[in-house]
Amino acid sequence: MTDRKPLVMITGASAGIGQETARVFSAAGYPLLLIARRPELIEAMGLPDTLAVNADVRDHAALVAAIAEGEAKFGPVDCLINNAGISRLARLDEQDPEQWRDLVDINCLGVLNGMHAVAPSMKERRHGTIINVSSIAGRKVYPHHDVYGGTKHFVHAVSEGMRQTMSAHRVRVMLISPGVAKSEIDKTITHQNAYEFWDNGRKQLDGGLDVNDIARTMLFAYQLPQDVNLQEMTITHTGQEF
């Protein structure tokens, strides 16, 4: 018997929301399996009971291998936080089609790969939680968010479908949709007009949400009893009008 808390897996854990979520869950005593393409940034955090794995969420086999490594050390993944994503903002007709592929592969396929990799074990154990990190752009349409918003609407739809599927197995699927936040996602915005639109909005909100508040919201939702599913959360700076 052990009083060790169950394993939490976070993708895109080397920066922004993912990195802060790792800090918050670690402080709450959870062992962590952290996935990123820059694992050295995770290791520099010095968190206890943490395994950092260099893996790309677009690679299903790599995620499965990372999970096997993490579970051998800490036991079954009880919570997946599907956080990895990019924000290649631009109007569709002004955007390099190659950026569409990045958006779809990371924001859509990456989410599918994560859920598919953990679902069988969670169903078998009849226990577990999947938290998909979307965006308020998955609920509303904004300028310069054409394809990006489409990928986030996809995350909303597939999360609801998966929630219905997994409910029969007592596995929770949750969705959190942050508004403008103080994260590093702006570093993936390469179109100048789109960046200026986004940056002007951020400045009006004093930089936007603190990512710590987003992370603590996910911890709260996860720590609710397994029979309580906070299905969908939208979290914004109070001053965000749209």
Side-chain angles (χ1 to χ4, degrees):
M1 298 293 292
T2 177
D3 59 0
R4 173 184 282 176
K5 291 186 176 181
L7 179 62
V8 174
M9 174 182 173
I10 305 172
T11 67
S14 62
I17 294 173
Q19 187 180 68
E20 185 61 21
T21 302
R23 290 193 180 100
V24 166
F25 274 73
S26 178
Y30 292 94
L32 302 174
L33 170 60
L34 303 181
I35 308 297
R37 288 181 288 177
R38 298 177 294 174
E40 67 277 3
L41 298 182
I42 297 172
E43 292 166 355
M45 295 165 64
L47 301 177
D49 295 327
T50 295
L51 176 64
V53 178
N54 182 357
D56 191 323
V57 294
R58 293 172 289 190
D59 187 340
H60 183 274
L63 288 183
V64 170
I67 290 168
E69 185 178 356
E71 291 189 335
K73 188 171 185 179
F74 297 118
V77 172
D78 189 61
C79 178
L80 164 65
I81 299 178
N82 245 337
N83 167 74
I86 59 171
S87 60
R88 298 270 194 262
L89 302 187
R91 298 187 189 281
L92 186 150
D93 59 309
E94 298 175 348
Q95 193 165 29
D96 181 348
E98 282 301 313
Q99 292 193 355
W100 304 342
R101 183 177 297 278
D102 288 340
L103 282 163
V104 171
D105 285 354
I106 296 172
N107 293 1
C108 297
L109 294 181
V111 169
L112 296 179
N113 285 336
M115 289 195 293
H116 190 271
V118 301
S121 176
M122 289 183 177
K123 288 169 65 176
E124 182 179 351
R125 290 182 285 111
R126 297 182 65 80
H127 202 282
T129 301
I130 296 170
I131 304 177
N132 289 331
V133 179
S134 184
S135 165
I136 195 169
R139 279 292 178 222
K140 304 179 181 183
V141 177
Y142 297 93
H144 305 286
H145 285 60
D146 299 6
V147 180
Y148 172 77
T151 66
K152 292 304 183 180
H153 276 71
F154 172 89
V155 173
H156 278 71
V158 77
S159 296
E160 174 58 15
M162 190 64 161
R163 184 197 66 76
Q164 294 178 21
T165 296
M166 298 297 276
S167 65
H169 306 279
R170 297 300 187 264
V171 175
R172 302 182 298 184
V173 178
M174 303 176 176
L175 183 78
I176 186 165
S177 301
V180 177
K182 298 172 183 174
S183 70
E184 294 190 11
I185 200 162
D186 61 305
K187 291 183 171 58
T188 67
I189 304 174
T190 57
H191 191 282
Q192 185 61 32
N193 291 341
Y195 179 81
E196 290 174 0
F197 171 83
W198 185 89
D199 191 47
N200 286 336
R202 172 174 62 173
K203 289 175 180 176
Q204 294 174 24
L205 301 172
D206 303 318
L209 277 173
D210 191 311
V211 291
N212 180 262
D213 294 318
I214 300 170
R216 289 189 298 107
T217 299
M218 287 190 277
L219 177 64
F220 166 77
Y222 173 57
Q223 289 184 326
L224 290 170
Q226 185 69 26
D227 285 340
V228 178
N229 187 1
L230 191 50
Q231 296 182 17
E232 187 170 339
M233 301 159 273
T234 300
I235 179 170
T236 69
H237 187 287
T238 302
Q240 183 165 344
E241 182 178 359
F242 299 106

